[in-house]
């Protein structure tokens, strides 16, 4: 690998716009002026209000739809070529498993399509099932699994071809909160074990902070990148990370960015007599636990 390749972002978006035609012959702008670089090994969350274009942006990176303007590069290639070269795997909100295929057969599917056979195919299947801790369920069928287990099968299938990039479109949005938090920890474990680059769409502020190295905050439609929060929580993260003052400070920062407030706008002027003291950690926590409005 050359130095230029090592320094090149896994994903490079420049001047990206996306519009959809309307019935009256006009257009609806979904995305506008998106510039973003994603470096090797990052875990990037896209978060914003409903309809802001998060999933649209993910689908453009995955070459499922084309941008109206701007450029997309994945591993230094066009998005189309990266898809042809199978440089990424995709996990959707629904697991999209084949009911008539066992867990093992669902994970085997992309390997079959790609012509991977024999010992190499069996080795990959074993590795993926071990990775998502489902080796004991390889002969089960999707209807015999919980929703969380089905999503773990989908993750194993997406990683079977060893892609450089994993795209995840609200994969835990339909799950209950306890299952979601448990799978958050599982995804971080898989991310650390594989070293993959991840782009993750979510509506959940706590999820974005817990998972990410950076949280990319998007504005209402047309979606623009309004703020990027560097998430400096120590790695590896655990459930204890959710109880730290820094975690609550970051949740508050993301929430304020979603409300369109600059990070320092609401801080008191400590040089002016009579102003309030800065918020205490307990106040930051109470604010972070409030709802996004």
């Amino acid at each position: 690998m050359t130095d230029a390749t090592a320094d090149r972002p896994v994903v490079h978006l420049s001047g990206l716009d996306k519009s959809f035609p309307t019935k009256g012959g006009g257009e609806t702008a979904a995305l506008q002026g998106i510039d973003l670089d994603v470096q090797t090994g990052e875990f990037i969350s896209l978060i914003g209000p409903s309809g802001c274009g998060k999933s649209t942006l993910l689908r453009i990176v995955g070459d499922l739809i084309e941008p109206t303007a701007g450029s997309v590069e994945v591993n230094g290639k066009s998005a189309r070529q990266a898809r042809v070269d199978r440089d990424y795997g995709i996990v959707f909100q629904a697991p999209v498993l084949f009911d008539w295929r066992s867990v093992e057969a669902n994970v085997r599917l992309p390997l079959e399509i790609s012509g991977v056979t024999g010992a190499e195919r069996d080795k990959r299947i074993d590795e993926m099932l071990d990775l998502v801790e489902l080796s004991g369920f390889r002969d089960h069928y999707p209807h015999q699994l919980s929703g969380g287990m089905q999503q773990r099968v989908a993750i194993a299938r997406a990683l079977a071809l060893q892609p450089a990039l994993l795209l995840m479109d609200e994969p835990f949005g339909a799950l209950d909160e306890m299952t979601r938090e448990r799978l958050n920890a599982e995804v971080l474990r898989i991310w650390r074990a594989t070293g993959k680059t991840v782009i993750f769409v979510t509506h959940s502020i706590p999820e974005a902070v817990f998972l990410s190295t950076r949280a990319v905050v998007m504005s209402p439609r047309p979606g623009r990148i309004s703020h990027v929060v560097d998430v400096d929580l120590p790695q590896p993260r655990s459930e204890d990370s959710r109880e730290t003052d820094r975690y609550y400070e970051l949740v508050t920062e993301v929430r304020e960015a979603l409300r369109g407030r600059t990070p320092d706008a609401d801080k008191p002027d400590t040089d002016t007599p009579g102003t309030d003291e800065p918020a205490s950690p307990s106040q930051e926590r109470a604010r972070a636990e409030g709802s996004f409005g």
Side-chain angles (χ1 to χ4, degrees):
M1 180 182 293
T2 65
D3 290 341
T5 301
D7 294 339
R8 184 181 63 208
V10 175
V11 176
H12 174 67
L13 308 177
S14 179
L16 200 71
D17 295 346
K18 178 62 181 178
S19 297
F20 292 98
T22 61
K23 288 184 178 179
E27 289 186 337
T28 296
L31 296 169
Q32 192 171 82
I34 301 292
D35 297 313
L36 180 67
D37 283 348
V38 179
Q39 303 299 330
T40 301
E42 282 199 285
F43 197 121
I44 300 295
S45 286
L46 304 177
I47 185 167
S50 295
C52 74
K54 304 181 296 296
S55 294
T56 298
L57 181 56
L58 195 79
R59 284 166 166 75
I60 290 173
V61 174
D63 192 45
L64 299 180
I65 57 176
E66 295 184 355
T68 305
S71 63
V72 184
E73 291 184 3
V74 179
N75 280 342
K77 316 166 191 175
S78 68
R80 177 64 50 84
Q81 189 60 49
R83 177 169 62 82
V84 170
D85 293 344
R86 300 183 175 91
D87 284 350
Y88 51 80
I90 303 180
V91 180
F92 297 101
Q93 184 169 356
V96 200
L97 303 178
F98 292 101
D99 293 339
W100 60 91
R101 295 179 72 111
S102 66
V103 166
E104 178 180 341
N106 269 285
V107 176
R108 186 172 65 238
L109 181 60
L111 299 170
E112 291 176 351
I113 294 171
S114 301
V116 180
T117 59
E120 175 62 21
R121 184 177 70 188
D122 293 342
K123 177 174 175 287
R124 294 257 196 104
I125 293 170
D126 289 344
E127 288 175 346
M128 292 304 100
L129 292 178
D130 284 344
L131 184 67
V132 299
E133 299 182 344
L134 287 175
S135 294
F137 295 87
R138 63 192 310 136
D139 296 325
H140 286 59
Y141 288 83
H143 72 272
Q144 297 173 306
L145 305 178
S146 67
M149 293 170 76
Q150 289 180 21
Q151 279 295 30
R152 284 153 64 190
V153 176
I155 292 169
R157 183 179 59 189
L159 292 173
L161 292 174
Q162 301 177 331
L165 176 65
L166 184 61
L167 306 176
M168 306 186 77
D169 190 3
E170 294 193 77
F172 310 137
L175 302 177
D176 66 85
E177 192 66 21
M178 291 185 67
T179 302
R180 184 175 189 148
E181 289 189 359
R182 186 171 67 252
L183 287 176
N184 284 172
E186 285 294 301
V187 165
L188 279 185
R189 179 184 61 79
I190 291 168
W191 172 64
R192 290 195 303 270
T194 62
K196 301 299 181 187
T197 305
V198 179
I199 302 179
F200 187 100
V201 170
T202 181
H203 278 100
S204 169
I205 299 171
E207 183 172 65
V209 170
F210 181 71
L211 291 175
S212 307
T213 56
R214 288 190 293 158
V216 175
V217 180
M218 297 182 65
S219 69
R221 190 178 68 232
R224 303 178 180 89
I225 294 176
S226 60
H227 190 59
V228 178
V229 177
D230 291 317
V231 181
D232 55 5
L233 292 175
Q235 299 281 2
R237 294 174 192 165
S238 68
E239 291 307 307
D240 291 340
S241 302
R242 299 182 189 269
E243 300 301 322
T244 63
D245 289 334
R246 182 57 180 155
Y247 170 80
Y248 286 100
E249 290 168 0
L250 288 163
V251 167
T252 297
E253 183 176 349
V254 173
R255 177 171 287 110
E256 294 300 282
L258 284 164
R259 289 172 170 164
R261 300 174 182 171
T262 56
D264 297 325
D266 296 328
K267 287 186 178 180
D269 181 0
T270 55
D271 293 331
T272 303
T275 57
D276 294 333
E277 292 296 323
S280 68
S282 60
Q283 289 171 321
E284 289 283 3
R285 177 171 300 195
R287 183 186 304 163
E289 289 175 336
S291 61
F292 165 52

